[in-house]
Amino acid sequence: MLFCYLTEPLLLVINQMKKNLLIIFRHPPFSSTNNRESLDIALACSAFDIPVSLLFLNDGLLQLRNQQNSQLLQQKSLVNNFKALAMYDIEDYYVLENDLSHYQLTEKDLSLSCKVINQEKMAHLIREFDTVINL
Amino acid sequence: MIFSLLIYAQQNGGQVEQSALRFTRSALAQGHSIHRVFFYGESVSACSSLKVTPRDEINITQQWLELAKSDNLDLVVCIAAAVRRGILDDSEAKRHSKAVANLTEGFTLSGLGQLADAILLSDRTITFGN
């Protein structure tokens, strides 16, 4: 059903299916629509069987902070949306150890279970992906 | 090489859309093909037919349309991003009981599946954002 958009020959489609996607989140929660719109891309691409991984960089780390009280701001929190990603087979999340120490956070303060990497590993990580989206 | 563009401008009339246009022209001139141009986020406002560009400024919408005509570009606007920002085609205007539709003819409202499809079928997907 989802593949009704695809008009090219099936062989080509199967060939291209190997592509993977990294989405980088750089914005703090409640500051803009970037994170929500990045999340929507993750869900849409996952529905097309594209393997999706997420990297939370700089202020983007704060998006994962648990115990956010979005009601104070009368805004919708994305925390539950991020927690639901596992149901869409999106299970690889990365954060930088530098960013954790910058905000004096530990992995326990995050609402997702993330892989903690350093900057050098991040450079390698980004190179592993066919497509990178960084809104 | 097959390219697709994801345009995510924060600011209407800023440099992002210009850069995307220039990239598209250059790529086509060098014999590459553009599978799709996908407008997302604030950049959907480029597709409003109610927008008035001051006479001494460049009309980006017009330039996209001319390029789309001459090179058969697929200009797709994210439907969720568009409706949220008041860009409606006829069927969305009807669905949400709005008096007017304002999507410029030549652009198509569609879902994020079109972006996923573009990622799969292009050699490179380039984001023009901030």
Side-chain angles (χ1 to χ4, degrees), chain B residues 98-119:
Chain B
K98 301 291 180 188
V100 288
N102 61 339
L103 181 75
T104 303
E105 205 183 320
F107 293 88
T108 314
L109 288 191
S110 192
L112 276 168
Q114 296 281 357
L115 177 63
D117 166 81
I119 289 171

Side-chain angles (χ1 to χ4, degrees), chain A residues 21-40:
Chain A
L21 170 67
L22 177 70
I23 303 183
I24 302 180
F25 293 79
R26 286 179 299 126
H27 301 271
F30 313 118
S31 68
S32 61
T33 53
N34 295 45
N35 287 357
R36 166 171 293 278
E37 288 175 325
S38 297
L39 187 64
D40 287 343

Side-chain angles (χ1 to χ4, degrees), chain B residues 2-128:
Chain B
I2 306 171
F3 287 103
S4 281
L5 274 64
L6 166 61
I7 305 189
Y8 195 74
Q10 292 288 34
Q11 171 203 2
N12 188 239
Q15 203 188 344
V16 170
E17 291 168 313
Q18 275 289 343
S19 303
L21 257 173
R22 283 169 204 266
F23 177 89
T24 304
R25 286 203 189 101
S26 301
L28 291 168
Q30 289 179 28
H32 301 292
S33 65
I34 304 286
H35 175 66
R36 180 164 298 137
V37 181
F38 192 85
F39 293 84
Y40 197 38
E42 296 300 331
S43 63
V44 299
S45 68
C47 318
S48 168
S49 61
L50 298 176
K51 208 176 62 171
V52 179
T53 308
R55 243 196 255 179
D56 57 348
E57 287 178 23
I58 293 161
N59 186 336
I60 296 273
T61 311
Q62 195 55 40
Q63 298 207 0
W64 277 121
L65 288 175
E66 282 165 17
L67 208 53
K69 210 173 178 186
S70 60
D71 291 272
N72 205 14
L73 288 186
D74 187 19
L75 304 178
V76 176
V77 185
C78 173
I79 190 164
V83 169
R84 170 192 279 264
R85 291 170 175 87
I87 311 287
L88 307 169
D89 63 6
D90 286 329
S91 73
E92 287 305 302
K94 204 174 278 175
R95 186 205 311 271
H96 299 286
S97 315
K98 301 291 180 188
V100 288
N102 61 339
L103 181 75
T104 303
E105 205 183 320
F107 293 88
T108 314
L109 288 191
S110 192
L112 276 168
Q114 296 281 357
L115 177 63
D117 166 81
I119 289 171
L120 285 173
L121 298 176
S122 310
D123 298 309
R124 295 278 188 279
T125 303
I126 318 258
T127 306
F128 286 84

Side-chain angles (χ1 to χ4, degrees), chain A residues 29-81:
Chain A
F30 313 118
S31 68
S32 61
T33 53
N34 295 45
N35 287 357
R36 166 171 293 278
E37 288 175 325
S38 297
L39 187 64
D40 287 343
I41 291 179
L43 295 173
C45 288
S46 182
F48 273 67
D49 284 340
I50 301 175
V52 180
S53 298
L54 311 181
L55 168 64
F56 296 86
L57 194 60
N58 302 342
D59 288 352
L61 175 68
L62 299 174
Q63 178 65 66
L64 294 179
R65 184 79 167 87
N66 53 19
Q67 297 176 325
Q68 291 177 29
N69 187 351
S70 59
Q71 284 179 340
L72 271 178
L73 295 168
Q74 294 184 303
Q75 287 208 39
K76 263 197 201 166
S77 166
L78 289 179
V79 170
N80 288 336
N81 303 53

